[in-house]
Amino acid sequence: MSLRTCALLLSSVFLAACSCQSKEKPQLPTPPQAVATAPRDVLSHPTPYIPPQCYTKTTAADGRVHNPCFACHHTSVAPNYLEDADVQLTYAFPEPALRNPWTNLFVDRRQAVAAMPDEELLAYVRQSNYFAEDGSLLLAKALEKVPAEWDANGNGRWDGWTPDVQFRFDERGFDRLADGGYTGWRAFGYYPFPGTFWPTNGSFGDVLIRLPEAFRQDAKGQFDPATYEVNLAITEALLARRDVEIAPTDEKKVGVDLDGDGKLGTARQVKYVWIPGQGTTLRWVGAAQALQTTGQVHLAAGLFPEGTEFAHGVYYLDVVDGKPTLARRMKELRYMIKRGWMTYGDHERAAAIEALDAVKKPDETRAAKGNTELGVGNRAGWSLQGFIENARGELRPQTHEENTFCMGCHSGVGATDDSVFSFGRKLPGSEFQAGWFHWSQRDLKGLREPRRADGHYEYTYYLEQNGAGDELRANTEVLSRFFTADGKPRPEALEALHADISTLLLPSPERALQLDKAYRLIVREQSFIRGRDATVEPAVNVHRDLSDASVELVTGITEPLTGPRTGNVTVYPGLPVKNAEPAPKVRLTGGQATTGPH
């Protein structure tokens, strides 16, 4: 039975249960970012939230079926109740999206790329567009007197996020001010998500997290790095769903049994415990604990506390000493802030209503409320906002349409934890600096390949099921490295991948420069609303138009694949996780709707 049918039944059951408990239908919280869209922010096409990769031709001309879809769309873990594995089976688009709007995929850039000198390109990517020559922050300075074209509401000031990351990281991954103070941002290493997000497909990314000020303060309201580290460790335990090592901490002082041994002593770990229906005995420490007591902040497995922020830089690739690495120049700087709290019940009901709407109004497109300054709300409590290069290579605020593009991945997929991909994939405590570092401090080389919960190596499994290293099957370098001419995986290449993920994730120097050049052409055109994938040759494994009645809307995939966490919530070897709670599923038994675990 399809997700939408299940969700229809779930919605009926859930809403009926709600109505029995209360005469007044409960309402979901309305995030404050849900503001009216300014006239200048009208979308050029109604579905920028459906990414280009979703138009992939999963059935090849020779009849072979490729499945990259499972990476995003699969069995979810509560409180992600989307259960969207059935998306692997069909191109379930609303009617306005049947014609592929991402026409940049079909542009032939080979001549233009060949004409761009390597030296010119390298000089470009090695110049920062975030820092001025004196070390000040270019965007922050520009936003002090916001240009009229950036001022969406015309009030003469910038109301969105003003970038304040200093990119001075210490040995614990904390971002530091010039005087030694803390910005609150902390960088972490993570396993890049399969497919498009690998550097071999065009970009290098970093991610930083910042919890609200109270989470950085002790019980007296004073900034305290030790308190902040414990709260971040609690966050990691709740989102990655595993035990997390910490520096020896006096539990009597913080008033929390962090290690779950039933007494207040000296804790050396945060014990992940989440019992469905009962929750956990964990509490925030320091000033945040008082806010939790009064209900101003919350704590639950799989959810970030209110006020959590993420900064995500997307970079060009540089080549240093013959090796591709993260460049100084940013392609984009993305930002998320969690503005409101939604309970498990809120998330479950929202997912059911969304799926019910998909059944009743399949051709209705999603509303994207927001503007250039405040970003776009993702209907799960978060605002998404970003900056991208202008034609001269300077960072500018994304338009509303460009922000809405971000909503596609951070809203409505089963693979995320509270709308976020990276933090649940953070490197564990056994890695460099316990996983708290920036990629400028340690690169990908030598990182072991992560395993799925079922024992398969995660990246190897993706290669085997997709038969390629990207959704478009356009990365010929990965094809030649990891597959024979008849499409069979090369055992020796996979063995090397198990020990070192850089053998797959990093491109050759030649490919790195080609992809940089292709993307720079898009920047010069400012054609992001037609796609921002760095393709050199026209894509051939992508549908241009699905509105033709002769085109079947089935992918050719007949059996959905499971995600990496089915059965046990971890992608890391040797780190067992207990009390994982899969999202409930609605089943039909003898014509009756029943709920139960997978």
Side-chain angles (χ1 to χ4, degrees):
M1 180 171 47
S2 75
L3 164 69
R4 291 181 178 178
T5 304
C6 289
L8 175 60
L9 294 168
L10 175 59
S11 180
S12 300
V13 172
F14 187 83
L15 293 177
C18 288
S19 63
C20 289
Q21 297 170 12
S22 172
K23 293 182 180 180
E24 183 177 344
K25 189 164 101 173
Q27 299 295 314
L28 292 177
T30 302
Q33 74 272 23
V35 298
T37 300
R40 72 189 74 179
D41 286 328
V42 174
L43 305 180
S44 68
H45 66 89
T47 57
Y49 55 84
I50 298 177
Q53 290 71 25
C54 290
Y55 289 89
T56 296
K57 291 180 180 177
T58 47
T59 301
D62 62 3
R64 182 182 176 185
V65 176
H66 302 258
N67 187 352
C69 314
F70 80 95
C72 287
H73 305 290
H74 56 237
T75 304
S76 56
V77 178
N80 185 337
Y81 293 98
L82 292 168
E83 284 300 299
D84 60 349
D86 63 329
V87 173
Q88 299 175 37
L89 308 181
T90 63
Y91 298 99
F93 299 153
E95 191 278 332
L98 292 177
R99 182 167 291 143
N100 189 345
W102 308 111
T103 55
N104 268 345
L105 291 174
F106 308 115
V107 175
D108 190 341
R109 301 185 179 88
R110 284 174 288 189
Q111 284 190 334
V113 164
M116 193 181 300
D118 289 353
E119 296 76 13
E120 175 190 327
L121 186 281
L122 285 170
Y124 181 74
V125 302
R126 289 171 179 171
Q127 180 183 23
S128 176
N129 54 354
Y130 185 80
F131 290 105
E133 290 186 5
D134 63 0
S136 61
L137 307 186
L138 288 169
L139 268 175
K141 187 174 182 180
L143 293 170
E144 288 177 0
K145 295 182 179 180
V146 60
E149 63 269 25
W150 298 0
D151 187 9
N153 56 15
N155 66 355
R157 66 173 184 270
W158 176 252
D159 294 319
W161 174 56
T162 298
D164 59 343
V165 184
Q166 302 296 310
F167 291 96
R168 293 188 185 94
F169 300 102
D170 64 17
E171 69 283 356
R172 295 177 296 167
F174 284 111
D175 184 43
R176 307 295 288 270
L177 296 164
D179 63 4
Y182 292 77
T183 65
W185 290 107
R186 196 180 192 190
F188 58 91
Y190 57 95
Y191 285 110
F193 194 79
T196 294
F197 304 99
W198 288 339
T200 185
N201 292 321
S203 303
F204 213 123
D206 62 12
V207 183
L208 297 84
I209 185 173
R210 179 163 64 184
L211 299 183
E213 189 173 15
F215 289 76
R216 306 173 231 157
Q217 298 174 339
D218 61 21
K220 296 180 181 179
Q222 300 298 312
F223 175 78
D224 179 39
T227 297
Y228 193 17
E229 285 189 346
V230 172
N231 278 327
L232 284 166
I234 294 171
T235 305
E236 181 180 350
L238 292 170
L239 270 296
R241 294 174 167 89
R242 63 170 178 243
D243 300 342
V244 177
E245 292 184 9
I246 56 175
T249 301
D250 184 351
E251 293 178 321
K252 291 181 181 178
K253 183 177 179 180
V254 299
V256 181
D257 179 13
L258 296 169
D259 57 14
D261 65 357
K263 58 185 179 181
L264 296 182
T266 300
R268 290 174 172 80
Q269 68 170 351
V270 173
K271 184 73 172 176
Y272 171 69
V273 177
W274 182 262
I275 302 173
Q278 298 181 36
T280 180
T281 56
L282 278 177
R283 290 175 59 79
W284 302 116
V285 301
Q289 190 174 110
L291 296 182
Q292 183 180 357
T293 300
T294 58
Q296 296 178 67
V297 297
H298 300 80
L299 180 153
L303 295 175
F304 294 95
E306 304 94 315
T308 299
E309 299 169 275
F310 282 95
H312 171 35
V314 183
Y315 299 81
Y316 286 87
L317 299 168
D318 194 358
V319 177
V320 179
D321 297 329
K323 298 178 182 178
T325 187
L326 178 148
R328 292 196 72 202
R329 178 171 292 275
M330 288 183 177
K331 293 180 174 182
E332 302 177 48
L333 178 57
R334 301 170 178 175
Y335 176 74
M336 293 177 66
I337 180 169
K338 186 169 183 178
R339 297 191 183 277
W341 179 260
M342 291 174 63
T343 66
Y344 271 44
D346 291 334
H347 281 285
E348 186 173 12
R349 181 169 176 265
I353 292 173
E354 182 173 334
L356 177 59
D357 286 343
V359 173
K360 295 175 65 178
K361 297 173 282 187
D363 291 328
E364 184 172 273
T365 60
R366 297 182 65 180
K369 295 183 178 181
N371 60 37
T372 296
E373 293 186 69
L374 296 180
V376 61
N378 77 340
R379 300 190 293 185
W382 295 84
S383 288
L384 312 174
Q385 182 209 329
F387 302 87
I388 200 164
E389 287 181 285
N390 65 18
R392 298 184 301 276
E394 301 161 347
L395 290 172
R396 62 160 175 82
Q398 291 192 142
T399 65
H400 177 58
E401 182 165 345
E402 291 162 350
N403 282 330
T404 303
F405 173 82
C406 301
M407 187 173 73
C409 289
H410 293 282
S411 173
V413 296
T416 58
D417 295 298
D418 199 5
S419 303
V420 175
F421 285 91
S422 58
F423 198 72
R425 302 177 62 84
K426 178 187 171 294
L427 296 176
S430 56
E431 296 294 344
F432 175 68
Q433 293 186 184
W436 292 106
F437 64 88
H438 187 260
W439 291 117
S440 60
Q441 298 175 293
R442 191 248 194 263
D443 60 20
L444 292 165
K445 191 169 180 59
L447 286 178
R448 294 177 301 151
E449 183 179 7
R451 286 185 186 266
R452 292 162 48 95
D454 57 17
H456 291 288
Y457 284 97
E458 185 186 20
Y459 294 161
T460 297
Y461 188 78
Y462 178 85
L463 292 174
E464 292 171 343
Q465 300 303 323
N466 185 31
D470 64 315
E471 295 87 343
L472 309 180
R473 304 196 298 283
N475 189 329
T476 55
E477 192 168 89
V478 167
L479 289 173
S480 62
R481 280 186 191 176
F482 287 87
F483 297 92
T484 61
D486 58 357
K488 294 180 180 178
R490 297 181 184 273
E492 69 281 4
L494 296 180
E495 282 298 320
L497 170 61
H498 299 337
D500 183 357
I501 63 175
S502 71
T503 62
L504 168 64
L505 270 60
L506 293 181
S508 66
E510 295 75 21
R511 177 173 170 80
L513 296 184
Q514 276 200 324
L515 296 175
D516 281 349
K517 292 175 183 179
Y519 185 80
R520 191 180 181 193
L521 293 171
I522 295 173
V523 170
R524 286 173 172 173
E525 297 168 349
Q526 290 292 283
S527 60
F528 302 118
I529 61 172
R530 298 196 296 273
R532 54 183 87 175
D533 292 277
T535 54
V536 179
E537 300 182 17
V540 296
N541 298 311
V542 181
H543 288 287
R544 288 175 180 258
D545 193 347
L546 289 163
S547 62
D548 188 331
S550 65
V551 178
E552 284 193 278
L553 296 181
V554 294
T555 62
I557 300 165
T558 57
E559 188 66 31
L561 297 174
T562 60
R565 304 182 298 185
T566 297
N568 194 14
V569 189
T570 181
V571 293
Y572 308 109
L575 292 172
V577 176
K578 300 177 181 179
N579 299 320
E581 183 183 12
K585 198 174 192 177
V586 173
R587 299 172 176 172
L588 274 181
T589 305
Q592 300 298 316
T594 62
T595 59
H598 295 299

